[in-house]
Amino acid sequence: MFRNGLEPWHLLIVAIVVIVLFGSKKLPEAARGLGKSMRILKSEAKAMKEDDTARPSTAPTVASGPAD
């Protein structure tokens, strides 16, 4: 049913609709905002990854003792 779900003419229609809805003046501003958000997300994800590797795992351990 959806073998060729996204063809080039679909992208053209979506681009035209976006231009009509937002106008050509708002698109560069929206692209800048999206790029800035992606940079922030990428830097935060990298910081979280570095934080996890720098800190040793503090998972609780089960103490094996004599059974009662």
Side-chain angles (χ1 to χ4, degrees), residues 25-43:
K25 292 183 180 181
K26 293 264 185 178
L27 288 178
E29 182 181 325
R32 272 192 294 280
L34 180 63
K36 193 177 205 181
S37 298
M38 292 301 293
R39 280 191 299 268
I40 292 170
L41 178 66
K42 188 176 178 181
S43 67

